Amino acid sequence: MRIASGWKDYKIIATGDGYKLEQWKDIILLRPDPQVIWKGERNLFAYPHIDAIYMRSERGGGAWNFKRQLPNFWTIQYKNLEFKVQLMGFKHTGLFPEQAVNWERMQSLIERSVATGRKIKILNLFAYTGGASIACAKAGAEVVHVDAAKNMVERAGENARLSGINKGIRYIIDDCKKFVLRELKRGNRYDAILMDPPSYGRGPNGELWKIEDHLFDFVALATQLLVEKPLFMLINSYTTGLQPMVLGNILQLLLGDRVGKIEAYEVGLPTEEGIYLPCGAGGIYYNG
């Protein structure tokens, strides 16, 4: 497991009974987490300084229960990156802290390559609020950031400006598959591709996406956009039960004949209890 242990503005205080107690700078949140199937060492709901709790509904979904008035948004930093945090629907905050391990891995690969004089062009698919786009741009890459949700792309632009990035990222609001198909027709190629596909969803015209059924074909399509000697291709997944080796196998089958290495791994976060919270899986092909 790769642990995102470099945070100073974020930490997990405790876990248990389906919830995680987190501190985002000065604000403490209690949110559900499907990986937390163990009993807590204490009653997390009785913690004295909680600012907001996301309460699940028996009918699905849920809502935030505020213990005090919170700002509409606040910011947190990870090293030289800064992000906007905002309480949103379905328990989200607009940022996944465990992804810092992937940010750093990509930055290291980019910086080493840029130092040799190579210009790096990166495609970020299902790019959400831009954590990975910003990390890659900060390392010196040109990034094309694609997501179908307009509000998430707008947030990505805000995060980039918070991190001092005013150029180097091109923002595209589009269905990722349709964008990849158009790029293939245009003959565009990328030095690296990363993607963070959802477990389940529907496109703007009702197109069904189910990761178990559609991921392999989509990755196969996207790999056609890679240059002959790509720097990396990274797949991240939050889907519960999808093992890291699944991602590794996909990359091996599609890119195993190229010069480079393939790794598959869990990503996670440390907790103050002395355990690690699993937060999904990653797979990376890299050549650098």
Side-chain angles (χ1 to χ4, degrees), residues 160-180:
R161 290 186 288 274
L162 283 171
S163 294
I165 299 171
N166 296 301
K167 61 180 181 178
I169 304 177
R170 178 185 169 207
Y171 302 98
I172 306 290
I173 302 169
D174 201 352
D175 175 81
C176 288
K177 183 177 180 180
K178 291 179 179 178
F179 179 80
V180 168

Side-chain angles (χ1 to χ4, degrees), residues 24-25 27 29 71-76 83-87:
W24 297 76
K25 207 167 188 177
I27 293 176
L29 305 178
N72 185 43
F73 71 89
W74 66 99
T75 64
I76 67 172
F83 303 102
K84 183 176 178 179
V85 178
Q86 186 174 26
L87 303 190

Side-chain angles (χ1 to χ4, degrees), residues 2-47:
R2 295 183 181 173
I3 306 298
S5 57
W7 282 96
K8 297 188 183 303
D9 281 358
Y10 173 85
K11 65 180 178 181
I12 297 178
I13 300 168
T15 59
D17 304 295
Y19 279 82
K20 57 186 174 185
L21 183 67
E22 312 161 290
Q23 184 167 346
W24 297 76
K25 207 167 188 177
D26 299 323
I27 293 176
I28 295 176
L29 305 178
L30 183 58
R31 296 192 293 161
D33 192 297
Q35 297 287 355
V36 183
I37 65 171
W38 50 88
K39 296 294 183 182
E41 295 180 347
R42 55 175 143 169
N43 180 3
L44 300 186
F45 285 83
Y47 190 79

Side-chain angles (χ1 to χ4, degrees), residues 22 52 63 70-71 77 93 122 129-130 132 145 162-163 169 174 181 197-198 202 229 238 244 255 260 269 271 287:
E22 312 161 290
L70 294 179
Q77 288 185 307
T93 63
I122 291 179
T129 58
H145 173 110
L162 283 171
S163 294
I169 304 177
D174 201 352
L181 289 170
R202 291 191 179 273
K229 295 181 179 179
Y238 299 98
L255 296 172
L269 288 162
T271 80
N287 183 17

Side-chain angles (χ1 to χ4, degrees), residues 268-283:
L269 288 162
T271 80
E272 291 192 338
E273 304 155 307
I275 62 175
Y276 299 101
L277 178 65
C279 302

Side-chain angles (χ1 to χ4, degrees), residues 49-76:
H49 306 297
I50 295 175
D51 295 300
I53 302 172
Y54 189 86
M55 302 295 296
R56 287 180 290 204
S57 169
E58 294 180 356
R59 294 171 294 179
W64 287 100
N65 180 5
F66 294 93
K67 300 301 182 181
R68 71 177 179 93
Q69 185 172 357
L70 294 179
N72 185 43
F73 71 89
W74 66 99
T75 64
I76 67 172

